[in-house]
Amino acid sequence: MDFGFSLSPSSAIDLDKVDLSLYRRLEQTVPDIRSCIACGSCSATCMAADYSGMSVRKLILNLQRGADVKKMLSCCMLCGKCTMVCPRGINTRKLILDVCRYYSDNKL
Amino acid sequence: MKESVVIIGGGIAGLEAASQLLALGLSPVIVEKSDHLGGHVAEWYRLFPDLSPAQDLVTHLVSSTSGARIYLETEISRINALKDGYSATLNNGDVLFCKAVLVCTGFHLFDAAKKEEYGYGIYNSVITNRDLEHWFGGLEDARIPDNPRAVGFVHCVGSRDVKAGNTQCSKVCCMTAIKQAIEMKEKFPEAEVYCFYMDLRLFGKKYEDFYISAQRDYGIHFIRGRVSEVSEDIDGRLLVKAEDTLSGKPLKVRLDLLVLMAGMVCSPQTGRIASMVRAEVDDDGFLRSRDNIYSIVESGRKGIFFAGACTGTKTIPETVAEARAAALSAFRYIKEKA
Amino acid sequence: MIYQGKQKIWSDYQKEIPDNHWFYVRSCIRQSFFPASEGHFVKIVRDLLGKDLYETPHHTTCGGIAYHSDTIPQETAMTIVARQFSLMKEAGYKNLVTSCITSFGNYTEILETWREFPELETRIREHLWKACRREFDKPEYVAHASDVVYKLRNEIAEKAKFRLVNHETGEPLRIVEHIGCHYSKMFPHKGVGGAEYPCVLSGMVESWGGKVIDYPERRHCCGFGFRQYLVKANRGYSVSNTHKKFESMEPFHPDLIITNCPGCPYFLDRWQYVISEQTGKTYGQNGHGIPALTYEELAGLVLGYDPWDLGLQIHQVGPEPLLDKMGIAYDPARKYLGLDEKDIMKPGLPTVLKCY
Amino acid sequence: MRERIPSGFDPFVLPFLIGIGFVLLYCLLAAMRVLWQCPREDRRRFFLSLITPTTALRNLWDIFANCLIHVKLWKRNKLLGFMHSSIAFGWFMIILLGHLEVFLFVPHRLNLFYYPIFFNYFVAETDTSLRGAFLFFLMDFFLLLILIGIALAIIKRVRSRLFGMRRTTRLSFLDTVGLYSLWLIFPLRLLAESFTASISGGSFLVKPLNWLLEAVLGSQFLLNPANNLPTWWAYSIVLGIFMVVLPFTRYMHIPTEMMLIPMRNAGLRIRHARRGYALLEVYSCPGCGVCIDACPMSVKKANIKDCTVYLNRQIRRGNERRIEEISDKCLLCGKCTEVCQVGVEGPALRIFQRARRQYAVNPDYAAVNVAPPESAGKVLYFGGCMTALTPSIGRSMESVLGKLGIDYTWMDRDGGICCGRPMLQAGRFPQAAEMVRKNTELIKASGADTLLLSCPICYKMFRDHYKLPGIRVVHHTQYFEELRRSGVLKLSKSDLCYAYHDPCELGRGCGVYEEPRTLLGSAAYIVEAEKNRGESICCGGSLGSLSLGFQQREAMTRRALENLTVAGPDAIATACPLCRSTFARYSSIPVRDIAEVVDLSL
């Protein structure tokens, strides 16, 4: 029956149910991602941020929350500015390449 | 006869001040209301950031004050100002005459049950930082499960919280949470450990390194968001809700143990002593120093000195440094008067 | 769960509730949502327990629903409330009892506001005088009708014909208690048991033999939320909130929901139908829903009033499985007969949710 | 002159015959495989080049100079050069002279492969004839040369520092077998010839040894075939072993390089990490380990196993995990190629290796929409991503161009599209090509005639991978130097003394070494770094590396700084924003881009 309204999906993150397989894999190859302090330097300097919402800070956070990151990667030019500005020395380019590489097909 | 200084409180501030006063040739008397010296530190297991045993510090301080007169389980009933000093009447009837009084009454650990939404005393697996230290120290605690899958730490419980009546930051909880998170991860490597924080205030030497290590080496998850409420699910696990402020979304997670980082609030004794010596109390309940920059250890009254957390939240190094400063100030005061 | 811990909190939030001489104000919407509830409250308190409960046909809405829907300013609501107080003064009562939670919250909020800003109270006195030449005294006590039932719960238990127990197994019924948001979330000390673990309803349940379920989304709003429901475009949010509560209570298999607010039982009841139509899911046993009753209806059932006289046929979720569990006899043939024994017509049946 | 063995055969030659047969067959098949793997046009080009006289002559000369004389090695390290050329050239001469002897004395035996090798066993020649004595002398001379080379090789193995090498490769098992058999071949030849010298003759080396042996063992003992035949057997066996293991050892570089040289001269390039021409480079690697010392990553003995010599070894072994690791780690500074004796292109091999990887997410830049720059300027300045993080360079560029009154437009002042080089270096060619396409459109639309770059990474990319007909692509060091020479840019020389750091992409990448120096030299004094120009040490900040972490790079940067500051300069000048910010992080003296230096002196 059409009531003219419907249940809206929950936006809440349930940490017990999120799929962290990608994050766990990246923890192995880029262990530094654990030390992100979400300062946002990477996003502020990003060349692709305007076009795709690219933000390595959000990328890491979304990975930790099992959320989709594919869209924001669509305009990354791998220029390396985020790596240069990261105060925690995270190898963001390797992170991006590894995410592109490991992104499992069932998430596409 | 040596001039005497009455030290109210036998925590680390009182002990360190007594030790310094002894070295300066004065005769300190410690009046401690509880049955042990060392105050809160004596109840702690290990100290950040070196993870050194708290007992070592207390033992050292106690041994260095062996020359002082110490009253345990004794309270001050009355302090009278004399012509050249003070007399303190104890509840056991003794009267102490002294040139100066050093207030080292310290702080009180916030009663976590007051934050009702966290369910301390209501849910089976909600404990405080002090409970966890006791357990680390070997005390049994039925609330701590044998093999927790997930453990959470809530920062700022009773601190920076106008609803809890305390707007001040307790300074030590962030580091204590990180320390305890690391210790829990060491005990239960398979467990996921979450720290729910509002801000991380890691200002001291080696503190940031400790934090980086917690992130990188221990994989502790730091979630920027204050826990809003805790409930028990059908399995008796704790369902914890917070906002993941970095993603702007509500977040929930099931935990087997929740540790509340109860903060420092002014101790009720402090107000009582303040009225006896007619020292001023600040609007946060802690004692008011002559100023907050140069004369933290001095009160507005002659011969009354402060040291440690009675004037505000302090770390151990700060407390010890203040105790030394207060001892020296009292010494100079007595010498200059003579 | 450490029960003693809850008791300690309850002892911290004990509210003074007068045990007699009440001025009763009714709710705007409850009389159409649950037409027999308020009537039975009066019956039980005044007739059965012999208390002094006064009501006047001259009272109006408290303005709360319009205030919370952003259609009138608070000063208007204050003037309306001031008029109710003047009616109470006229009748010579000092203890106000409201049927509606939003009214209770509205009265409490206004009194607290006046306490903080006395000049506002003065201004409202002028407004009231200009509008209708009336004067008022502030009530000594403001209670919600559920506070009164809570106060009288043990007297009711003494006269009870049924208990909240499965009469076949002897097991206590598993009961979800849902407190209206405006009861104590704004002023925890104005509610029995505070805001985190209120005991106004759980006290009744325990006194009448039931067992309270503490499920994770216990504190969550029923989903009404005024604008969330009143604006049709927002109703998805409203039903989503209710859905969240049901998903959370489902594993506990509740037999019954008891509420003390006008909106809550309505939405906890009707949205079960909407959810079942949209998701195909029901939360009671064997395709039924979970009955959501008001505290008056539950008190009436416990005291042995006829379920159809209590108006339980007006609920979307059929009460029959609950009546069966409690061992209460009922005549299915009378379900859809009005007070005058004429047919009020049986509604159409939902496609998913099972009803008789 | 007489043949001692009428049949011209003895079973001891068999090990040698098996060895040479095997190795020749192997090399033939391998060469065919490489040719087959090359694209058709490359193959055509190669065959054409072989019959083009100039290339053919060049091939011969290159093979002679590189494979036999080791000219490049001589230039780099005389002792190593002597060692290698004494063995290679000496051996070559012995084989050549052997054939000459057969041709002169027993021409009917020319069809026997082994005759020139074992000539002194099969043919008894008196050393009294002029021809004999002369040839014997030459044979002994070259044998002695080889033996000296072998002796040096043994000493090098034990004490590589004496040869100026700090680190050398660790040998695999087969390499060790090959090495020891190679070392044994010539002493055994000497021994065998000495045993039979009283029969077959010899010169200044063999004869005296023969006398010595006679004195010790007696002449009858030496003449008894039961005693002298085993020495020839040993010689043949060791030769056989060496040849059989050769394809599986680093000595494969000997035949491979002979094919690599003509193919490179034909203009062939790597097109795939593991096929065709790339294989030739991989197998041409002699495993000498010169690249280890050269590699900026090898500072403090770290990452040694990630140098190009190990990449080649792992590709030969097919160890995929290690190949990936090594490929991802490299800074792509190109120094290994610069110092490599056979010219293995380590960076290119790695980029093509990276390109083999499959990605599940592939960016596309359809959404990137940058407005074309105003076409007013004749000069279009492209700062690039890194200049955005070193605003002092951009500001100096603006200042200099402004002071000179040059009409220009700063194309990416408010952000733009990356040049694509980092993406290219990551091996993601289609993505890089997409950026190239977008930027090309923008630049063409601007109507500019000069594209000015202050970043060598961009410069290299625009120069080599963009097709911008009619538009001059120029780095700011070249541009300013040109203006200086034409008298537009007048610099006053300051008293400061700079050490100039050659950025990898500008120096080794584009061969720009002199312009920055003359430009800088007219604005300040210059001292050279210990290693400079082609051998300059990467700053460690390179985007080329995909996996090196920040902490791992620190030691590299510090080492590069040490190298730069040996002469005690007042400041460091470079011509790359990335080098500038990387050095500035750890340098105790100021680090400036040449644009800044020029601006200060203008």
Side-chain angles (χ1 to χ4, degrees):
Chain A
M1 186 184 287
D2 180 22
F3 294 92
F5 57 89
S6 57
L7 284 171
S8 38
S10 170
S11 65
I13 300 163
D14 188 342
L15 279 186
D16 300 295
K17 293 191 180 135
V18 297
D19 175 12
L20 292 180
S21 51
L22 185 56
Y23 180 68
R24 296 282 182 234
R25 198 162 170 192
L26 291 160
E27 267 186 321
Q28 303 299 312
T29 59
V30 198
D32 283 343
I33 54 169
R34 287 169 153 191
S35 52
C36 174
I37 48 175
C39 70
S41 309
C42 44
S43 329
T45 198
C46 180
M47 307 273 287
D50 289 349
Y51 311 111
S52 63
M54 178 66 187
S55 157
V56 178
R57 171 185 81 74
K58 281 190 202 157
L59 177 79
I60 295 176
L61 185 73
N62 283 3
L63 289 167
Q64 287 169 338
R65 305 286 182 261
D68 183 81
V69 295
K70 191 163 178 274
K71 191 177 162 284
M72 69 168 75
L73 287 169
S74 68
C75 291
C76 172
M77 302 185 235
L78 216 59
C79 72
K81 282 173 79 184
C82 46
T83 312
M84 284 184 73
V85 298
C86 178
R88 282 281 169 98
I90 301 173
N91 191 346
T92 53
R93 292 173 81 235
K94 179 161 171 59
L95 169 68
I96 292 164
L97 282 171
D98 284 356
V99 171
C100 288
R101 202 171 154 198
Y102 299 146
Y103 216 87
S104 58
D105 292 321
N106 55 23
K107 274 196 198 156
L108 298 183
Chain B
M1 194 187 143
K2 285 178 185 170
E3 285 99 340
S4 165
V5 176
V6 166
I7 297 173
I8 308 170
I12 53 164
L15 290 172
E16 176 63 22
S19 141
Q20 296 295 332
L21 287 170
L22 282 171
L24 291 165
L26 300 181
S27 162
V29 186
I30 296 176
V31 182
E32 166 61 43
K33 70 175 184 340
S34 78
D35 61 352
H36 69 273
L37 292 172
H40 294 280
V41 179
E43 294 185 59
W44 237 241
Y45 180 57
R46 288 201 286 181
L47 305 175
F48 63 77
D50 299 340
L51 294 179
S52 48
Q55 203 50 54
D56 288 2
L57 175 64
V58 175
T59 312
H60 167 74
L61 285 173
V62 169
S63 71
S64 64
T65 50
S66 53
R69 260 169 80 198
I70 293 171
Y71 289 91
L72 287 178
E73 295 182 87
T74 309
E75 291 193 48
I76 309 252
S77 322
R78 200 167 64 245
I79 295 178
N80 291 330
L82 305 175
K83 194 161 72 72
D84 60 344
Y86 292 91
S87 74
T89 312
L90 305 183
N91 61 352
N92 61 7
D94 285 9
V95 178
L96 306 171
F97 292 96
C98 61
K99 299 282 183 210
V101 175
L102 186 46
V103 182
C104 303
T105 44
F107 67 93
H108 207 69
L109 205 66
F110 176 76
D111 175 14
K114 283 188 183 165
K115 293 299 290 176
E116 289 165 16
E117 61 269 40
Y118 296 156
Y120 180 66
I122 291 191
Y123 300 127
N124 292 320
S125 322
V126 179
I127 64 170
T128 64
N129 41 7
R130 177 159 53 191
D131 298 335
L132 190 59
E133 287 295 331
H134 287 166
W135 182 71
F136 286 147
L139 272 178
E140 293 276 320
D141 194 331
R143 293 170 294 183
I144 298 171
D146 291 336
N147 253 320
R149 278 174 286 168
V151 179
F153 289 84
V154 185
H155 294 222
C156 301
V157 174
S159 307
R160 305 178 69 201
D161 184 350
V162 68
K163 293 284 171 61
N166 302 301
T167 48
Q168 77 278 2
C169 163
S170 292
K171 266 187 174 181
V172 297
C173 324
C174 284
M175 274 301 283
T176 305
I178 292 172
K179 179 194 80 103
Q180 294 186 340
I182 287 177
E183 286 171 306
M184 286 305 269
K185 193 78 182 172
E186 277 174 347
K187 282 193 189 296
F188 307 108
E190 297 303 314
E192 297 293 345
V193 178
Y194 302 93
C195 284
F196 294 91
Y197 68 96
M198 302 201 285
D199 284 309
L200 284 171
R201 300 191 159 186
L202 308 168
F203 47 85
K205 187 175 163 71
K206 291 283 169 198
Y207 289 11
E208 188 72 9
D209 297 336
F210 207 61
Y211 171 42
I212 294 177
S213 166
Q215 287 183 302
R216 200 178 42 210
D217 307 334
Y218 293 92
I220 290 159
H221 309 283
F222 288 86
I223 296 173
R224 189 185 176 282
R226 198 157 194 266
V227 168
S228 65
E229 60 184 51
V230 180
S231 32
E232 262 180 15
D233 75 0
I234 192 152
D235 307 320
R237 296 186 85 197
L238 297 165
L239 183 70
V240 170
K241 287 196 194 175
E243 184 192 343
D244 180 24
T245 58
L246 295 174
S247 64
K249 286 180 181 161
L251 174 145
K252 58 183 172 180
V253 62
R254 278 157 206 81
L255 303 175
D256 300 302
L257 180 67
L258 188 68
V259 187
L260 306 179
M261 306 313 295
M264 290 186 187
V265 296
C266 57
S267 120
Q269 283 76 27
T270 306
R272 214 168 58 82
I273 301 292
S275 61
M276 286 182 204
V277 298
R278 278 182 283 158
E280 284 181 83
V281 176
D282 239 331
D283 51 12
D284 58 7
F286 290 96
L287 294 176
R288 189 196 299 259
S289 301
R290 218 170 73 197
D291 68 55
N292 292 319
I293 297 158
Y294 184 70
S295 320
I296 286 271
V297 299
E298 288 167 34
S299 72
R301 291 181 54 79
K302 280 189 290 181
I304 306 291
F305 297 92
F306 305 145
C310 61
T311 55
T313 58
K314 304 268 156 65
T315 63
I316 292 175
E318 286 168 340
T319 301
V320 170
E322 273 189 14
R324 284 173 199 162
L328 199 57
S329 294
F331 173 76
R332 280 181 62 172
Y333 165 77
I334 292 166
K335 289 297 152 192
E336 279 164 19
K337 260 190 100 176
Chain C
M1 183 73 65
I2 305 158
Y3 191 70
Q4 291 83 349
K6 271 194 181 179
Q7 284 178 317
K8 190 190 164 295
I9 288 202
W10 289 338
S11 65
D12 290 345
Y13 288 100
Q14 277 311 313
K15 168 180 178 178
E16 207 175 329
I17 305 165
D19 51 9
N20 212 338
H21 309 299
W22 292 296
F23 181 80
Y24 184 47
V25 284
R26 294 209 182 205
S27 153
C28 310
I29 55 175
R30 297 187 83 219
Q31 294 173 69
S32 46
F33 285 5
F34 325 103
S37 285
E38 289 180 342
H40 276 80
F41 174 71
V42 176
K43 255 188 210 172
I44 292 165
V45 174
R46 191 194 278 161
D47 305 343
L48 191 70
L49 302 175
K51 309 286 179 186
D52 172 23
L53 184 77
Y54 177 83
E55 48 175 345
T56 164
H58 298 298
H59 90 73
T60 63
T61 173
C62 70
I65 201 161
Y67 168 53
H68 286 290
S69 310
D70 279 353
T71 51
I72 60 168
Q74 199 188 17
E75 284 194 23
T76 310
M78 282 178 172
T79 314
I80 297 170
V81 161
R83 185 179 166 276
Q84 320 284 57
F85 290 160
S86 78
L87 290 174
M88 184 171 76
K89 182 185 174 174
E90 251 175 41
Y93 283 84
K94 295 190 184 315
N95 307 331
L96 182 73
V97 173
T98 73
S99 162
C100 168
I101 284 288
T102 292
S103 293
F104 175 73
N106 194 36
Y107 287 115
T108 311
E109 186 182 346
I110 287 169
L111 289 171
E112 288 295 306
T113 310
W114 288 348
R115 197 165 63 76
E116 297 273 344
F117 306 98
E119 69 281 5
L120 197 57
E121 184 189 334
T122 315
R123 198 154 78 233
I124 299 300
R125 284 187 188 280
E126 287 167 15
H127 287 337
L128 185 68
W129 180 255
K130 279 182 196 159
C132 50
R133 295 286 183 270
R134 280 179 171 276
E135 281 176 333
F136 68 90
D137 291 338
K138 286 189 281 183
E140 272 175 21
Y141 294 99
V142 177
H144 182 250
S146 61
D147 292 338
V148 174
V149 177
Y150 172 79
K151 180 93 179 170
L152 303 175
R153 67 192 189 282
N154 292 329
E155 290 182 46
I156 291 170
E158 277 167 26
K159 297 188 188 310
K161 300 211 167 49
F162 300 97
R163 286 175 61 74
L164 300 176
V165 167
N166 187 321
H167 79 111
E168 280 171 9
T169 62
E171 291 284 314
L173 295 182
R174 293 176 299 269
I175 297 175
V176 161
E177 41 101 33
H178 177 82
I179 309 288
C181 293
H182 294 162
Y183 176 68
S184 59
K185 279 179 187 162
M186 291 190 286
F187 301 100
H189 283 278
K190 303 291 178 191
V192 181
E196 285 296 327
Y197 311 95
C199 69
V200 60
L201 294 180
S202 62
M204 295 178 205
V205 168
E206 283 172 8
S207 171
W208 303 337
K211 183 171 176 254
V212 171
I213 283 171
D214 198 344
Y215 65 109
E217 296 295 357
R218 166 174 56 78
R219 303 169 176 96
H220 204 78
C221 169
C222 67
F224 178 23
F226 295 87
R227 277 162 295 178
Q228 265 45 275
Y229 175 77
L230 297 174
V231 179
K232 190 174 176 186
N234 293 343
R235 277 183 204 163
Y237 295 120
S238 175
V239 68
S240 302
N241 275 291
T242 316
H243 180 246
K244 186 174 178 174
K245 281 186 80 75
F246 279 110
E247 285 295 312
S248 175
M249 70 175 79
E250 185 191 12
F252 296 84
H253 304 298
D255 296 305
L256 163 69
I257 300 169
I258 171 176
T259 64
N260 67 348
C261 174
C264 307
Y266 189 76
F267 286 93
L268 291 173
D269 179 56
R270 304 301 201 272
W271 281 151
Q272 289 194 61
Y273 154 68
V274 174
I275 292 168
S276 73
E277 293 291 326
Q278 291 188 341
T279 68
K281 190 165 179 182
T282 55
Y283 294 92
Q285 284 150 338
N286 308 321
H288 287 277
I290 307 169
L293 305 186
T294 68
Y295 55 97
E296 297 107 324
E297 287 168 345
L298 193 66
L301 281 183
V302 165
L303 286 167
Y305 291 94
D306 184 84
W308 309 141
D309 290 347
L310 282 166
L312 298 192
Q313 65 274 59
I314 302 300
H315 291 262
Q316 174 70 59
V317 175
E320 287 89 346
L322 172 70
L323 302 177
D324 294 342
K325 277 179 207 159
M326 287 174 72
I328 297 174
Y330 57 94
D331 180 3
R334 281 196 65 240
K335 184 169 179 182
Y336 293 109
L337 294 183
L339 287 175
D340 52 3
E341 300 294 319
K342 280 186 185 158
D343 189 8
I344 56 170
M345 292 199 293
K346 188 178 174 178
L349 285 178
T351 43
V352 180
L353 187 71
K354 208 164 153 191
C355 297
Y356 293 106
Chain D
M1 204 292 306
R2 64 183 172 86
E3 283 197 80
R4 287 181 60 221
I5 314 295
S7 66
F9 175 80
D10 192 281
F12 82 79
V13 303
L14 281 176
F16 164 74
L17 276 181
I18 292 168
I20 191 110
F22 175 75
V23 80
L24 286 179
L25 189 67
Y26 186 95
C27 290
L28 185 71
L29 290 174
M32 284 168 63
R33 177 161 167 253
V34 166
L35 279 173
W36 179 73
Q37 286 177 345
C38 283
R40 178 195 291 264
E41 53 177 307
D42 277 7
R43 229 167 17 229
R44 229 183 103 241
R45 217 175 191 186
F46 174 58
F47 289 132
L48 271 176
S49 82
L50 289 181
I51 53 169
T52 313
T54 48
T55 357
L57 275 174
R58 212 175 119 210
N59 288 344
L60 280 178
W61 166 248
D62 282 354
I63 291 174
F64 177 74
N66 289 329
C67 303
L68 296 181
I69 309 297
H70 291 85
V71 176
K72 276 198 205 162
L73 197 53
W74 273 95
K75 284 185 194 157
R76 181 162 190 84
N77 183 329
K78 302 226 160 23
L79 202 54
L80 275 179
F82 174 74
M83 180 192 113
H84 281 84
S85 54
S86 65
I87 297 173
F89 184 66
W91 198 357
F92 171 75
M93 286 311 290
I94 279 182
I95 296 166
L96 190 74
L97 291 169
H99 282 81
L100 193 64
E101 283 178 327
V102 175
F103 175 74
L104 289 176
F105 302 126
V106 280
H108 60 284
R109 297 294 191 194
L110 262 179
N111 59 338
L112 293 175
F113 244 4
Y114 53 84
Y115 239 70
I117 310 299
F118 305 110
F119 184 81
N120 278 5
Y121 180 82
F122 290 106
V123 181
E125 167 65 5
T126 102
D127 46 19
T128 49
S129 78
L130 185 60
R131 276 199 314 191
F134 181 61
L135 284 171
F136 279 157
F137 170 77
L138 284 181
M139 286 298 252
D140 273 16
F141 172 76
F142 285 112
L143 187 58
L144 179 65
L145 194 65
I146 295 172
L147 287 170
I148 293 169
I150 299 279
L152 287 173
I154 294 170
I155 296 168
K156 171 179 163 268
R157 231 340 96 186
V158 186
R159 281 274 160 104
S160 61
R161 276 184 180 272
L162 291 179
F163 289 73
M165 291 180 75
R166 290 189 298 139
R167 278 164 240 141
T168 184
T169 42
R170 299 191 65 145
L171 296 184
S172 66
F173 171 70
L174 281 177
D175 277 343
T176 316
V177 173
L179 180 77
Y180 289 150
S181 52
L182 178 64
W183 284 355
L184 277 174
I185 288 171
F186 299 97
L188 283 173
R189 180 180 169 116
L190 177 67
L191 188 70
E193 288 193 337
S194 303
F195 262 72
T196 49
S198 49
I199 308 164
S200 313
S203 187
F204 63 94
L205 194 61
V206 174
K207 271 285 182 192
L209 197 59
N210 176 261
W211 297 331
L212 189 69
L213 288 168
E214 268 187 4
V216 177
L217 303 167
S219 62
Q220 283 314 305
F221 182 87
L222 296 187
L223 288 173
N224 186 351
N227 293 330
N228 65 34
L229 203 53
T231 61
W232 286 95
W233 265 102
Y235 173 47
S236 171
I237 287 171
V238 171
L239 265 174
I241 290 174
F242 179 71
M243 303 225 186
V244 168
V245 298
L246 181 133
F248 315 108
T249 65
R250 56 189 188 142
Y251 300 105
M252 187 63 191
H253 79 88
I254 302 165
T256 314
E257 199 186 350
M258 289 195 278
M259 184 168 179
L260 174 72
I261 288 170
M263 280 198 128
R264 180 184 293 145
N265 288 344
L268 269 58
R269 290 288 169 266
I270 297 176
R271 288 170 190 270
H272 186 287
R274 312 282 188 84
R275 293 166 69 85
Y277 181 77
L279 275 186
L280 289 180
E281 288 205 351
V282 168
Y283 281 91
S284 290
C285 170
C288 65
V290 172
C291 51
I292 299 177
D293 279 343
C295 182
M297 298 197 299
S298 71
V299 61
K300 285 188 180 162
K301 295 189 176 174
N303 309 311
I304 287 176
K305 295 265 178 180
D306 299 302
C307 295
T308 303
V309 58
Y310 286 101
L311 173 68
N312 295 330
R313 184 185 284 184
Q314 298 300 353
I315 291 179
R316 289 186 205 175
R317 289 185 187 165
N319 183 340
E320 294 297 334
R321 188 185 62 79
R322 286 287 296 135
I323 294 171
E324 278 214 359
E325 222 170 81
I326 297 173
S327 300
D328 281 0
K329 206 181 246 184
C330 175
L331 295 157
L332 306 183
C333 75
K335 189 158 172 194
C336 51
T337 312
E338 187 75 19
V339 300
C340 182
Q341 299 312 299
V342 293
V344 176
E345 297 161 284
L349 276 176
R350 286 174 171 95
I351 291 176
F352 279 91
Q353 174 57 38
R354 293 172 186 182
R356 299 183 66 207
R357 193 168 294 154
Q358 295 294 314
Y359 289 96
V361 182
N362 292 302
D364 76 78
Y365 305 103
V368 179
N369 200 5
V370 176
E374 294 289 319
S375 55
K378 294 230 165 196
V379 173
L380 195 59
Y381 168 51
F382 184 89
C385 307
M386 293 304 143
T387 307
L389 289 177
T390 47
S392 55
I393 299 179
R395 208 175 47 203
S396 302
M397 288 298 289
E398 284 200 291
S399 166
V400 173
L401 292 171
K403 283 177 193 168
L404 297 180
I406 289 165
D407 199 5
Y408 75 102
T409 307
W410 187 343
M411 176 173 165
D412 58 345
R413 185 203 298 272
D414 303 317
I417 302 164
C418 173
C419 66
R421 181 126 186 99
M423 194 57 100
L424 185 91
Q425 288 185 323
R428 309 192 71 181
F429 301 149
Q431 281 75 32
E434 180 67 12
M435 283 183 247
V436 169
R437 194 182 63 74
K438 287 239 169 196
N439 272 324
T440 305
E441 271 173 25
L442 291 175
I443 293 164
K444 280 187 174 166
S446 76
D449 63 3
T450 303
L451 179 65
L452 175 62
L453 291 318
S454 56
C455 172
I457 305 167
C458 306
Y459 174 57
K460 168 95 178 152
M461 188 69 187
F462 280 107
R463 199 190 69 150
D464 294 353
H465 297 274
Y466 281 69
K467 286 192 186 68
L468 295 166
I471 299 173
R472 186 173 167 233
V473 177
V474 63
H475 187 249
H476 70 327
T477 53
Q478 301 167 306
Y479 187 70
F480 291 154
E481 171 59 8
E482 206 178 81
L483 291 174
R484 190 191 65 81
R485 245 182 249 159
S486 64
V488 179
L489 180 70
K490 293 184 181 66
L491 297 173
S492 57
K493 195 158 174 151
S494 84
D495 294 335
L496 282 177
C497 179
Y498 283 90
Y500 175 67
H501 167 75
D502 289 280
C504 306
E505 295 274 47
L506 191 65
R508 287 184 289 266
C510 300
V512 179
Y513 294 115
E514 297 314 321
E515 291 99 322
R517 282 183 169 76
T518 41
L519 181 66
L520 187 62
S522 50
Y525 294 91
I526 302 187
V527 286
E528 285 295 347
E530 186 182 3
K531 306 252 183 203
N532 54 61
R533 291 185 166 82
E535 302 223 352
S536 137
I537 300 174
C538 172
C539 67
S542 167
L543 294 169
S545 171
L546 302 181
S547 62
L548 271 181
F550 178 73
Q551 282 84 1
Q552 294 166 286
R553 293 176 188 243
E554 181 178 340
M556 301 172 199
T557 310
R558 289 195 186 280
R559 165 75 192 101
L561 274 171
E562 257 170 48
N563 170 66
L564 271 173
T565 51
V566 276
D570 302 317
I572 292 167
T574 183
C576 169
L578 187 49
C579 300
R580 187 194 179 283
S581 65
T582 308
F583 281 138
R585 201 172 292 141
Y586 305 112
S587 173
S588 55
I589 54 175
V591 183
R592 298 194 180 102
D593 189 271
I594 285 192
E596 295 171 75
V597 180
V598 167
D599 189 31
L600 286 174
S601 295
L602 192 63

